[in-house]
Amino acid sequence: MISALNRLVDLVEEDLGAELDLGSTAKSLGTTEYHLRRMFSSLAGMPLSEYVRRRRMTVAAGDVVRGAGDLLDIAVRYGYGSTEAFGRAFRAVHGAGPGEVRRDGGPLRTQPQLRFRLTVEGSTPMDTRIADRPAFRLVGHAARVPLIHEGVNPHIQQHIAALPPEVHQRLKDLSDTEPAGLLQITDGVEPDAPEGSELTYLHGVAVTGQTPVPGDLDAIEVPAGKWAVFNASGPFPDTLQATWAATATEWFPSNPWRLRPGPSIVTFLERAADFSTATTELWLPVEPA
């Protein structure tokens, strides 16, 4: 995976003005577009599209300052059809328009070319198992919420708090398959997973395909497949979020598995009454790499 990401960075650099066919690129690198984008975003801390934009504007700024053609020529060189579109992208990165930078020589904000490396520094082994599950359904109460990478998501908190106590017991009574119990489910996350993007959060449970489901509940159909199940125990949600990050930085680069599209599921094995600490399992849909 590390070599695939570095080759991707090289391909971006070879022609910054071109639109990369990421599907074909991923296939040539022996992976999938979904997994490649998820791993790039997790390790780089930004979506691939944002990295490409920053690199384009970093190199384009040199052309602007040097006077290497008029602004339309430079815009076309870096994949923009007009000086207006180029100017918006340029200002978003540098904080000033290309005309101002050509006149004043700045300000300039540089995005260095990325290089990925796998570094092992005595990290704690991850407690993981692979579960092979038949098709099942996730049912419960759904809401659209923004993605937040660190700390408690207040939008999810509000959604759960708005549910009457009897709703939780009703869901628990429906649960009849793994992952067991009340679940925190995220679905529809963009492959790049940019913070602030919308996803579907489902407060619910897992049921078999044969289980009758009340019509007032939302449902997500989950096809048969394998899951990587990560155990996380400690302060909540910090330990869970650290484990989630470590799947990208440590586990996937070191194991012959890749992410496949599907929901991410968190189940609670134990927790403090105030949720300050918890032992959880993080279920991620995977396939052989």
Side-chain angles (χ1 to χ4, degrees):
M1 195 65 245
I2 297 298
S3 62
L5 289 170
N6 285 325
R7 179 55 185 152
L8 175 62
V9 168
D10 291 340
L11 290 172
V12 168
E13 211 67 25
E14 285 174 9
D15 190 352
L16 284 168
E19 288 299 324
L20 193 65
D21 183 347
L22 199 54
S24 297
T25 299
K27 187 175 181 180
S28 71
L29 295 172
T31 186
T32 64
E33 178 179 350
Y34 182 86
H35 186 65
L36 193 62
R37 289 174 64 184
R38 286 290 296 268
M39 291 299 100
F40 185 97
S41 175
S42 296
L43 294 174
M46 70 183 93
L48 175 62
S49 57
E50 175 64 15
Y51 172 72
V52 171
R53 183 171 69 107
R54 291 185 188 182
R55 281 299 297 156
R56 282 176 175 171
M57 294 304 102
T58 294
V59 180
D63 290 352
V64 169
V65 172
R66 289 194 306 270
D70 62 33
L71 294 182
L72 181 58
D73 289 338
I74 297 173
V76 171
R77 191 177 305 153
Y78 292 98
Y80 294 87
S82 69
T83 55
E84 290 79 11
F86 175 69
R88 286 193 296 271
F90 194 95
R91 183 177 292 277
V93 171
H94 297 292
E100 299 166 80
V101 167
R102 172 164 284 184
R103 183 187 67 234
D104 302 329
L108 297 175
R109 296 188 184 124
T110 299
Q111 170 62 60
Q113 184 176 346
L114 288 177
R115 187 57 49 185
F116 294 92
R117 293 182 177 87
L118 178 60
T119 303
V120 179
E121 297 179 343
S123 57
T124 303
M126 299 184 72
D127 185 0
T128 314
R129 62 188 172 93
I130 302 297
D132 194 354
R133 301 287 296 117
F136 60 96
R137 302 166 81 187
L138 297 166
V139 298
H141 297 272
R144 295 289 288 173
V145 301
L147 174 62
I148 295 177
H149 289 304
E150 294 184 10
V152 174
N153 189 319
H155 308 278
I156 291 177
Q157 276 192 319
Q158 291 167 13
H159 173 61
I160 296 173
L163 298 173
E166 59 268 21
V167 166
H168 305 291
Q169 188 58 52
R170 179 193 186 205
L171 291 172
K172 288 179 183 178
D173 292 341
L174 278 174
S175 175
D176 64 1
T177 190
E178 278 199 305
L182 280 176
L183 309 173
Q184 294 187 347
I185 301 150
T186 55
D187 192 33
V189 178
E190 294 180 28
D192 288 334
E195 186 154 20
S197 59
E198 278 205 334
L199 57 89
T200 296
Y201 173 80
L202 182 75
H203 184 71
V205 295
V207 299
T208 65
Q210 294 74 41
T211 302
V213 176
D216 63 331
L217 296 181
D218 301 299
I220 298 172
E221 300 292 336
V222 182
K226 290 182 169 57
W227 299 75
V229 185
F230 302 88
N231 186 281
S233 184
F236 182 81
D238 300 23
T239 303
L240 173 61
Q241 290 170 339
T243 299
W244 206 311
T247 65
T249 59
E250 297 182 31
W251 196 81
F252 280 110
S254 308
N255 288 275
W257 299 93
R258 66 188 178 207
L259 282 168
R260 58 183 171 87
S264 302
I265 304 169
V266 174
T267 180
F268 289 83
L269 304 182
E270 296 178 356
R271 65 173 179 82
D274 61 356
F275 274 91
S276 59
T277 62
T279 298
T280 61
E281 283 187 339
L282 168 63
W283 290 60
L284 298 179
V286 297
E287 61 189 6

